[in-house]
Amino acid sequence: MNSYAVFLRGINVGGINIKMADLKNALKSRPFSGVVTLLASGNVVLASELDPAGVKKEFEACLRETFGYDAWVVVLTAGRVTALVDACPYPADDASTHTYLTLASDEEVLSELLEAGRALDRAELTRLGPEALAWLAPAGGTLDSPFSKLSSKAKYKAATTTRNLRTMIKVRDAAAGI
């Protein structure tokens, strides 16, 4: 069995509302065990004998069939979540900034996003690996930050999702317990 973290894109925003208890119940019919949901923003840890691509396929199919929407997830091994958290050069949060990780299921999309982000004025971005980059946003102004606006464009929707570093730490810790 392998431990995974699954990050859902776009739930409990924009009219797609899924209760975590309903999600957990729906996943019982799939080849997953030890399913734990974290926060209401679409973070799941689980165990499976499938590889990451298999977990992604099964998870997205479950969401589409059960909740009826175009679902996209990013799947990382528990070890990879730990490595990304450890590689992040920014603090979890301080009085003036918050740290975010944008995760991707498509390395080319993330590379394109990184290059576009580097062209923004005062964007602080660090590539953490083929599937993630870290960036800073002003406290209280995340959604208005230039990189947040860039990364929320429709062309990145199917391949990326973003989490606060504090959330990633919680997911890391939960995945370690699976």
Side-chain angles (χ1 to χ4, degrees):
M1 281 287 190
N2 298 304
S3 296
Y4 294 102
V6 181
F7 302 92
L8 288 71
R9 164 75 181 204
I11 68 159
N12 298 336
V13 296
I16 300 169
N17 296 307
I18 299 174
K19 293 179 181 170
M20 293 301 100
D22 293 341
L23 174 60
K24 190 173 179 178
N25 191 48
L27 293 170
K28 288 180 182 178
S29 67
R30 303 297 172 153
F32 307 135
S33 62
V35 175
V36 176
T37 60
L38 299 132
L39 311 171
S41 57
N43 306 292
V44 178
V45 295
L46 54 82
S48 181
E49 292 187 11
L50 298 173
D51 66 4
V55 171
K56 179 177 175 55
K57 181 179 176 183
E58 283 288 326
F59 206 104
E60 288 176 344
C62 180
L63 291 171
R64 288 180 177 126
E65 293 164 14
T66 306
F67 302 104
Y69 78 102
D70 286 332
W72 298 286
V73 301
V74 175
V75 177
L76 300 173
T77 64
R80 194 65 192 136
V81 172
T82 296
L84 293 172
V85 167
D86 291 348
C88 186
Y90 310 124
D93 282 340
D94 63 30
S96 63
T97 59
H98 290 184
T99 300
Y100 291 90
L101 274 63
T102 295
L103 309 170
S105 58
D106 183 323
E107 185 176 347
E108 289 181 27
V109 170
L110 190 66
S111 293
E112 177 186 323
L113 181 59
L114 178 61
E115 289 309 310
R118 285 184 173 152
L120 297 171
D121 187 35
R122 296 180 300 181
E124 178 110 20
L125 305 166
T126 300
R127 184 81 179 245
L128 301 178
E131 72 287 84
L133 61 91
W135 53 283
L136 294 175
T142 300
L143 295 178
D144 294 324
S145 72
F147 188 76
S148 179
K149 289 179 180 181
L150 172 67
S151 66
S152 66
K153 288 186 176 184
K155 69 183 197 172
Y156 302 119
K157 183 177 181 180
T160 66
T161 190
T162 297
R163 296 296 186 275
N164 184 287
L165 180 57
R166 289 178 321 219
T167 298
M168 293 295 293
I169 291 167
K170 289 176 185 173
V171 170
R172 175 203 62 197
D173 294 348
I178 295 289

